[in-house]
Amino acid sequence: MGKSKTNKFKRPQFNAVGLPVNAVKEVEVDEDDHDDTDCPAGELLEKLQSPSADVREFACASISRVVQQSLTIPGFLQRDAVRRLGPMLLDCSLAVRETAAGALRNLSACGGHEVCEDMVKHDVMTPLTALLRECCAGFETSALSMKEQKNTVEDVTNEAVNLLWNLCESSSQALSVFNKAGLLDVVLQCLERHPHNVELAISAAHCLHTVTEDNPELLCSLNAAVLGVLENVLLSSEPGFAHLLLRTLAAGAVWNMKSSLPAARQAQTLNAVAAILAQSLELDAGTLIPELRQAEETRYASAPASADTEEDHGAGNEAAEEMDEDEEEGGAGQKRKGKPAKVNNDFSDFLPRGKEELREATALLTAQQTSLEIIVNMCCSDDPSDDEWEETSSSDESEAGPDALCDGLSGLMSPLCLSAEVHGALINHSIPEKVLKKTQFPSREAADVCHHNPSWKGLIKKMQRVQYRALTCLHNILSAMDAESLGGATALQGVAQHLSTLVFGATEIPKEEEFLEAVTGAMRSLLQMIATKNIPQCMSPQQLMSLSEAATRCDVVSVRVNALAILGITGSTLAKEKGAAETLQMIGNALLQVASKDANLVVNGEALDALFDVFADGEEAEMAAKNIQLLPALKALQPVFKAKIRKEGRGKYSPEQLCVLDNIKVNLRRFIGYLETVVKK
């Protein structure tokens, strides 16, 4: 408790273009209601056995399209679709291979984690591994024999790599097969195609970024050749946002491999990584997106009208609308550990080839989001205990005064120790300033341009996500660096003014959960730093109270926890000022309300922790505590809190959280003792 925990991003789940992760569960109850006449699965799977390659290709392509409809997936799984599609990956026809890989890719992407696990259990990795090895062996031959036409072998490989990426993201068993089968070499071969086929290279880079995260078995096998391939990508200079995305993903993979870097090259390599991230964040999407949209309009106006152009335009709209609907449905509603689940809704791979400008815009925003997520992880402790509340010992049952109590809590607030190499790389490339700029939503013009075109509308949510990631990134930077590195008091006051405008600039506080989670985390870190340095800040207690009230109505636990911590920091600062008793009473009543009424024990504990901070010392705090009857209120709350921990704790909360709750219980007893001595004075 009391610690502003830094966030860490896991790689997002791959392309959820159709079905939310839990959709298979949702429709299981209706499975018996669908017979063969209602579901096309049976007929299409039968066509896979046709002697005609054209019929098999048609069946695979149809399955690829149909599985994007949620109700059809159980029907395909019931009919053993994975075992029947698997052999198609090694069909004698390249076209069948490509469409089969596409069908399995969409099945895994739209079915989510459970479907991916099921696919691995049905041994899809065996034909997929064989296909990837065969494709990579055929790169050179194919390139020589098909110079003037679309390279089918690379198209097959692209579908297969995307399938591999999705499976490794969702299944630890798939990742184990990846390691044991030596598929790293295959992915690197695809990455090396970047001068000729950036789409394939990006798919490989996405996959590599995923498999190198938290995979010690793979990291042990890395050698100079692997790092050499990645360095070549980092140092490449091809123009365009697709290549920028490629370099950004390569930078993320290098960061994941940092423990395997030779000591003599660490500073140089990390500097190259930071340079790529800075290059990505330097770009102004608010200006570039309207320019790209105008370029698309100009190209359409000058191109002769054709059926293909109209079909591409319509298909692009349809793909984007599907993606937009999925974000509306999945969005912040999906939670993992009280936080919105991260889902990668990159739909660019599903756009027709005629949507180059939209592909570029999507690549730009994906590169910026990925850059911010990498920086978040660079400024995040690798200590596993940081994933939950910090563990602290509660074995000392001796009585302690408020000073000892507060010292124990504030000791958890010290900044994380960044290595000199990481700290230097971030500062040298002005990363903190660039992150701060990204916390502002791109220009209204960019949003309007996207809003008025169906195929571009999905970019609005992508722009919002860049802003949210920037706010989370700012939170980690503020937690990991000292005030002087960030520009001192003046710079921090500027950040406070900026965050104040974001939150309080509109007529009412925004209700978007992902925004609230990110912005309250950033404000918590900033206010803690400002309070520690005794720097004046622009946000009034009344404003922060209004934020807290909005946050307490939010379903996301971390938003409520952040808001309570903000009140605690604000109150403990005010307690040192004359005439603050009335405001302290208002804060105290709000914290007591949450401590006694919120259904979540973590939130109850944070509210109590904030009360300890606010009323720990000072005449104003003593006066306010007396006026709100804090002592009898806490005495009444104490047995209820203890009983709640005993009754609900072990079933609903992690060992780390229970350890902290145990500390809160002990500190509550001590704090009641302190208040009793104050009353007797």
Side-chain angles (χ1 to χ4, degrees):
M1 296 294 296
K3 179 178 179 182
S4 179
K5 183 180 80 66
T6 50
N7 295 286
K8 186 171 184 179
F9 277 105
K10 294 288 186 183
R11 290 303 311 140
Q13 178 186 321
F14 167 77
N15 280 339
V17 214
L19 188 65
V21 170
N22 62 345
V24 175
K25 278 187 177 176
E26 291 170 357
V27 299
E28 278 175 354
V29 292
D30 298 326
E31 284 174 4
D32 295 335
D33 296 338
H34 298 280
D35 57 27
D36 286 356
T37 58
D38 295 326
C39 178
E43 183 183 348
L44 290 174
L45 290 171
E46 284 301 318
K47 289 186 188 307
L48 296 178
Q49 307 305 316
S50 170
S52 165
D54 287 343
V55 173
R56 297 195 302 277
E57 180 187 356
F58 169 79
C60 290
S62 300
I63 293 169
S64 182
R65 184 181 67 256
V66 170
V67 294
Q68 293 184 45
Q69 303 301 315
S70 61
L71 289 176
T72 66
I73 288 184
F76 279 97
L77 295 179
Q78 287 172 349
R79 291 166 179 81
D80 217 11
V82 177
R83 285 195 190 278
R84 295 165 81 171
L85 277 167
M88 298 294 103
L89 294 175
L90 300 172
D91 195 274
C92 56
S93 162
L94 281 177
V96 173
R97 291 184 179 196
E98 182 180 353
T99 50
L104 288 165
R105 171 190 176 182
N106 282 3
L107 184 63
S108 63
C110 300
H113 291 277
E114 291 168 358
V115 171
C116 288
E117 290 283 7
D118 188 65
M119 292 173 75
V120 175
K121 284 178 187 173
H122 285 83
D123 200 28
V124 74
M125 291 295 289
T126 298
L128 177 59
T129 299
L131 172 64
L132 284 164
R133 292 203 178 284
E134 221 176 283
C135 285
C136 289
F139 277 164
E140 297 306 324
T141 339
S142 174
L144 289 171
S145 62
M146 306 181 74
K147 283 183 180 177
E148 302 302 321
Q149 51 186 298
K150 190 178 170 186
N151 193 333
T152 310
V153 171
E154 292 196 355
D155 290 335
V156 175
T157 312
N158 187 50
E159 294 292 345
V161 169
N162 275 295
L163 173 58
L164 177 67
W165 167 26
N166 200 15
L167 294 173
C168 289
E169 170 61 37
S170 298
S171 165
S172 57
Q173 185 59 37
L175 193 60
S176 177
V177 173
F178 181 97
N179 294 339
K180 289 180 171 58
L183 288 175
L184 177 62
D185 291 341
V186 169
V187 174
L188 289 174
Q189 277 184 267
C190 297
L191 189 60
E192 287 181 301
R193 307 296 292 174
H194 70 91
H196 319 290
N197 189 335
V198 69
E199 185 180 340
L200 173 60
I202 287 173
S203 299
H206 271 300
C207 186
L208 190 62
H209 194 192
T210 292
V211 299
T212 52
E213 185 172 42
D214 298 329
N215 186 358
E217 183 183 350
L218 181 68
L219 296 183
C220 289
S221 66
L222 297 179
N223 53 38
V226 176
L227 295 173
V229 171
L230 284 165
E231 285 182 1
N232 285 339
V233 176
L234 290 180
L235 298 172
S236 63
S237 57
E238 286 89 349
F241 301 138
H243 284 279
L244 175 66
L245 173 58
L246 175 66
R247 290 190 287 271
T248 303
L249 291 165
V254 169
W255 171 253
N256 290 342
M257 298 174 182
K258 61 187 179 298
S259 60
S260 303
L261 293 173
R265 294 172 59 191
Q266 279 201 355
Q268 179 186 0
T269 305
L270 290 177
N271 201 54
V273 167
I276 296 296
L277 304 180
Q279 180 189 3
S280 170
L281 297 179
E282 185 69 34
L283 298 169
D284 179 14
T287 302
L288 291 166
I289 286 176
E291 289 177 1
L292 286 165
R293 174 67 185 123
Q294 183 57 51
E296 183 183 68
E297 285 292 318
T298 304
R299 182 169 59 82
Y300 282 148
S302 59
S306 70
D308 287 345
T309 304
E310 290 175 11
E311 184 179 330
D312 280 355
H313 192 63
N317 290 351
E318 184 180 341
E321 284 166 2
E322 283 177 4
M323 187 278 299
D324 198 35
E325 286 169 11
D326 291 329
E327 291 211 357
E328 291 287 350
E329 292 171 10
Q334 297 176 13
K335 301 287 191 303
R336 186 168 61 244
K337 293 186 180 179
K339 295 176 65 176
K342 281 190 63 210
V343 178
N344 179 10
N345 287 303
D346 180 3
F347 66 103
S348 58
D349 208 36
F350 291 84
L351 294 171
R353 295 185 184 274
K355 307 292 289 185
E356 287 85 359
E357 293 83 5
L358 181 53
R359 284 173 178 271
E360 283 284 284
T362 304
L364 167 63
L365 294 175
T366 305
Q368 293 189 335
Q369 178 181 329
T370 304
S371 296
L372 291 163
E373 290 170 2
I374 294 167
I375 298 165
V376 165
N377 291 349
M378 292 174 83
C379 296
C380 181
S381 168
D382 286 329
D383 184 353
S385 66
D386 271 352
D387 290 338
E388 302 289 349
W389 277 344
E390 185 77 3
E391 290 190 51
T392 53
S393 171
S394 61
S395 59
D396 181 9
E397 289 290 322
S398 61
E399 295 298 332
D403 292 338
L405 175 64
C406 291
D407 287 345
L409 292 171
S410 63
L412 298 176
M413 295 300 303
S414 57
L416 296 169
C417 293
L418 287 183
S419 72
E421 291 84 1
V422 173
H423 186 278
L426 295 177
I427 295 298
N428 291 341
H429 291 280
S430 305
I431 294 293
E433 293 91 329
K434 290 178 170 59
V435 167
L436 184 61
K437 286 181 182 177
K438 292 300 169 196
T439 62
Q440 182 67 52
F441 187 77
S443 70
R444 179 46 49 191
E445 181 190 0
D448 289 344
V449 161
C450 295
H451 185 74
H452 290 109
N453 186 279
S455 60
W456 288 65
K457 194 174 179 181
L459 295 187
I460 297 174
K461 290 192 180 298
K462 287 186 170 293
M463 288 188 280
Q464 289 173 333
R465 191 152 288 122
V466 168
Q467 181 191 25
Y468 304 158
R469 295 295 183 267
L471 286 164
T472 302
C473 199
L474 178 63
H475 160 62
N476 278 25
I477 286 173
L478 288 165
S479 300
M481 294 186 179
D482 55 53
E484 289 67 34
S485 296
L486 298 172
T490 305
L492 292 175
Q493 286 174 319
V495 175
Q497 182 62 58
H498 174 69
L499 292 179
S500 176
T501 303
L502 282 182
V503 177
F504 306 115
T507 53
E508 61 178 26
I509 292 172
K511 295 183 176 65
E512 203 334 285
E513 289 180 347
E514 202 171 350
F515 172 79
L516 280 176
E517 182 178 26
V519 79
T520 54
M523 289 175 71
R524 176 181 181 174
S525 294
L526 176 66
L527 291 173
Q528 180 61 44
M529 182 178 282
I530 282 176
T532 304
K533 297 292 182 180
N534 294 316
I535 300 169
Q537 57 90 12
C538 59
M539 288 175 267
S540 70
Q542 289 71 25
Q543 284 180 318
L544 295 172
M545 279 294 299
S546 68
L547 173 62
S548 177
E549 287 171 12
T552 54
R553 294 191 292 272
C554 181
D555 290 336
V556 180
V557 169
S558 58
V559 173
R560 307 205 296 277
V561 165
N562 284 337
L564 294 167
I566 288 169
L567 283 187
I569 295 164
T570 305
S572 62
T573 304
L574 282 173
K576 301 168 188 172
E577 301 176 5
K578 289 290 183 186
E582 188 176 339
T583 306
L584 292 177
Q585 289 173 213
M586 180 174 63
I587 292 174
N589 281 323
L591 293 173
L592 275 173
Q593 180 84 357
V594 175
S596 57
K597 299 269 179 83
D598 197 288
N600 189 284
L601 263 173
V602 170
V603 179
N604 301 147
E606 188 69 45
L608 288 169
D609 191 41
L611 281 166
F612 304 156
D613 287 344
V614 174
F615 296 98
D617 195 20
E619 292 181 5
E620 297 293 324
E622 290 177 13
M623 188 188 311
K626 182 179 178 182
N627 291 343
I628 66 172
Q629 298 290 297
L630 182 60
L631 178 57
L634 290 180
K635 280 186 172 181
L637 179 60
Q638 185 180 27
V640 176
F641 184 64
K642 288 170 68 175
K644 197 172 178 182
I645 292 175
R646 191 167 54 250
K647 183 179 178 182
E648 300 177 14
R650 299 201 180 280
K652 293 173 63 176
Y653 301 95
S654 71
E656 292 81 5
Q657 289 172 325
L658 288 174
C659 181
V660 178
L661 287 167
D662 185 51
N663 268 280
I664 295 295
K665 181 176 66 175
V666 172
N667 287 337
L668 176 58
R669 180 176 60 78
R670 292 173 177 171
F671 192 69
I672 288 172
Y674 159 70
L675 290 177
E676 287 174 336
T677 62
V678 170
V679 170
K680 292 174 185 175
K681 284 200 299 185

